């Protein structure tokens, strides 16, 4: 026990400046990974790429591909960054990417749902924890139910995001001069040249670039999250309690966004809330706006990834992600009658789960594994 405590102290005693520098290096590795991923798909043959993404052109299929991919990697930041890279390499169009982004937004909620199952042995704790976890699920499901049909009918999200992108970067052409893209040009080129020197060409080289790019993205985001969590861990709970004590939903939303941007993971922000809810320290009503802010905060990663590609289309998709979450808040949060819908659904499901524990497991597995797998397989 003593050794474990000592290890924990040693880990936390790494100087803050060193951790900050490590995070910057990891962020550079992440952006390099995005660049390599896009280059890898550009190197693949068109027939092979079309085969890999068969069924994604169906919006429902794209939605569940995004959900399933996020569940598998346990990070919407990873999946949305990959989607941005695919759009930048012209493998995916903006219209195909939008439902995938929505699915990724929903898939990230599985982490806090799983975290709530840790309280399953105590009825009241479990009721509060499961409701706190699933309110995030229900908000995202409702947002998708409203905005996916609107997007398909009017192109509201993609056209508005395109307008914002054009004014932000001053170009609607094939590419724009991005300092982030220039910054990662050297390491990306180094990896590509190394693979060429090793005899990799064509589809083989493209496949290796994709694998290396995904590895860089996954590892960089994972360790960014670890380091940022250690940097701000002691402050997160205090900040949440202070903001919620002020009784302002807007403040709580902003706090959720800021914390999520800091730790680069909405799952960490929302998972911190689950034990606080289980213990009765925070109510479901006070937790709810923090989860909405976390939804917005997690979109920053995709925006950074898009800027590293130099592709206006990729930036547009990243802006869609932000716009989708903000639009959901605008629709469901201001009016109490709409604001309470996810709360009532979460409380109802939590009551059912307390009466029958198998309902909680069935919901989690069915929602995040069985249903998306079934839809994806049927639509292929």
């Amino acid at each position: 026990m003593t050794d474990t405590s000592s290890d924990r102290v040693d880990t936390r005693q790494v100087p803050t400046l060193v951790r900050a520098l490590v995070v910057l290096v990891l962020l550079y590795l992440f952006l390099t990974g995005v660049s390599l991923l896009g280059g890898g798909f550009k190197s693949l043959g068109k027939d092979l790429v079309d085969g890999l993404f068969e069924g994604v052109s169906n919006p429902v299929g794209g939605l569940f591909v995004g959900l399933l991919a996020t569940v598998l990697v346990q990070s919407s930041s990873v999946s949305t960054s990959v989607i941005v890279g695919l759009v930048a390499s012209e493998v995916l169009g903006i219209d195909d990417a939008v439902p995938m982004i929505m699915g990724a937004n929903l898939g990230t909620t599985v982490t806090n749902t799983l975290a709530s199952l840790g309280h399953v042995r105590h009825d009241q704790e479990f009721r509060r924890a499961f409701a706190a976890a699933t309110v995030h699920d229900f908000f995202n499901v409702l947002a998708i139910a409203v905005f996916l049909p609107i997007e398909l009918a009017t192109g509201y999200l993609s056209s508005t995001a395109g307008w914002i992108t054009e004014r932000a970067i001053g170009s609607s052409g094939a590419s724009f001069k991005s300092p982030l893209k220039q910054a990662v040009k050297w390491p990306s080129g180094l990896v590509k040249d190394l693979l060429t020197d090793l005899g990799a060409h064509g589809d083989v080289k493209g496949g290796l670039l994709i694998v290396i790019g995904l590895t860089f993205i996954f590892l960089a985001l994972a360790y960014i999250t670890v380091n940022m969590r250690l940097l701000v861990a002691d402050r997160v709970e205090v900040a949440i309690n202070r903001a919620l004590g002020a009784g302002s939903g807007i403040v709580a939303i902003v706090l959720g966004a800021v914390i999520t941007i800091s730790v680069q993971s909405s799952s960490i922000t929302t998972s911190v809330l689950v034990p606080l809810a289980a213990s009765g320290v925070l109510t479901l009503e006070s937790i709810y706006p923090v989860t909405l802010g976390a939804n917005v905060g997690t979109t920053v990663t995709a925006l950074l990834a898009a800027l590293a590609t130099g592709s206006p289309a990729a930036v547009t998709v990243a802006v869609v992600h932000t716009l989708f979450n903000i639009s959901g808040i605008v629709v469901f949060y201001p009016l109490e009658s709409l604001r309470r819908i996810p709360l009532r659904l979460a409380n109802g499901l939590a009551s059912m789960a307390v009466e029958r524990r198998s309902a909680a497991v069935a919901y989690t597995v069915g929602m995040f594994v069985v249903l998306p797998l079934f839809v994806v397989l049927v639509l292929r």
Side-chain angles (χ1 to χ4, degrees):
M1 182 68 75
T2 304
D3 291 340
T4 303
S5 301
S6 176
D7 291 342
R8 190 181 299 117
V9 171
D10 289 341
T11 300
R12 288 181 176 273
Q13 284 179 344
V14 175
T16 299
L17 179 60
V18 173
R19 285 202 185 280
L21 290 174
V22 168
V23 168
L24 288 175
V25 172
L26 290 169
L27 184 59
Y28 188 67
L29 182 67
F30 161 70
L31 296 174
T32 302
V34 173
S35 177
L36 291 173
L37 180 71
F41 276 105
K42 284 181 179 178
S43 298
L44 294 180
K46 187 178 185 302
D47 292 339
L48 177 58
V49 171
D50 289 344
L52 287 173
F53 294 95
E54 182 182 358
V56 171
S57 57
N58 182 303
V60 177
L63 174 73
F64 283 103
V65 165
L67 191 161
L68 190 59
T70 304
V71 170
L72 289 174
V73 299
Q74 285 286 286
S75 172
S76 63
S77 295
V78 171
S79 56
T80 53
S81 298
V82 170
I83 293 167
V84 162
L86 294 174
V87 172
S89 60
E90 301 180 358
V91 171
L92 284 179
I94 293 174
D95 291 342
D96 294 335
V98 170
M100 293 179 70
I101 287 287
M102 293 181 180
N105 209 67
L106 175 58
T108 194
T109 64
V110 69
T111 305
N112 44 298
T113 304
L114 290 172
S116 70
L117 298 179
H119 301 273
V120 73
R121 289 177 295 178
H122 307 285
D123 285 0
Q124 291 307 312
E125 281 188 20
F126 181 52
R127 183 193 301 274
R128 291 190 292 256
F130 199 65
T134 55
V135 72
H136 196 190
D137 303 358
F138 285 118
F139 172 81
N140 284 330
V141 168
L142 289 168
I144 290 169
V146 170
F147 287 103
L148 181 57
I150 289 175
E151 171 64 15
L152 295 177
T154 68
Y156 154 68
L157 291 170
S158 53
S159 59
T160 305
W163 181 86
I164 293 171
T165 299
E166 188 165 348
R167 273 139 191 84
I169 64 178
S171 171
S172 58
S175 62
F176 64 96
K177 292 183 179 179
S178 167
L180 290 180
K181 183 178 181 179
Q182 292 302 313
V184 299
K185 188 174 182 180
W186 176 77
S188 298
L190 191 65
V191 173
K192 292 173 184 177
D193 291 343
L194 178 61
L195 291 177
T196 300
D197 292 343
L198 292 173
H201 300 281
D203 289 348
V204 173
K205 181 178 179 179
L208 289 172
L209 286 173
I210 291 169
V211 171
I212 294 170
L214 286 173
T215 302
F216 281 7
I217 291 170
F218 190 84
L219 290 177
L221 286 177
Y223 283 103
I224 286 173
T225 298
V226 168
N227 278 277
M228 290 306 298
R229 181 175 57 193
L230 290 172
L231 280 172
V232 303
D234 295 333
R235 304 175 182 90
V236 168
E237 188 173 335
V238 173
I240 289 174
N241 281 319
R242 284 181 179 173
L244 297 181
S248 171
I250 300 300
V251 171
I253 290 172
V254 172
L255 178 69
V258 170
I259 291 174
T260 303
I261 292 168
S262 299
V263 299
Q264 285 292 291
S265 173
S266 61
S267 296
I268 287 179
T269 306
T270 53
S271 294
V272 164
L273 300 173
V274 170
L276 294 177
S279 63
V281 171
L282 298 177
T283 65
L284 181 61
E285 288 75 9
S286 61
I287 283 170
Y288 179 36
V290 182
T291 67
L292 304 187
N295 266 357
V296 176
T298 197
T299 66
V300 168
T301 308
L303 287 168
L304 286 173
L307 291 173
T309 67
S311 164
V315 174
T316 297
V317 168
V319 173
V320 163
H321 192 196
T322 306
L323 188 60
F324 168 63
N325 284 302
I326 292 175
S327 298
I329 293 171
V330 170
V331 168
F332 285 102
Y333 195 76
L335 295 176
E336 185 177 357
S337 58
L338 295 178
R339 181 166 65 243
R340 297 202 63 82
I341 293 175
L343 298 172
R344 286 198 296 267
L345 291 172
N347 276 321
L349 182 61
S351 296
M352 187 186 304
V354 169
E355 294 297 324
R356 184 172 294 181
R357 298 296 197 272
S358 59
V361 176
Y363 165 79
T364 305
V365 175
M367 177 72 169
F368 296 105
V369 180
V370 176
L371 179 60
L373 268 177
F374 174 77
V375 173
V376 170
L377 291 174
V378 166
L379 293 179
R380 282 194 67 83

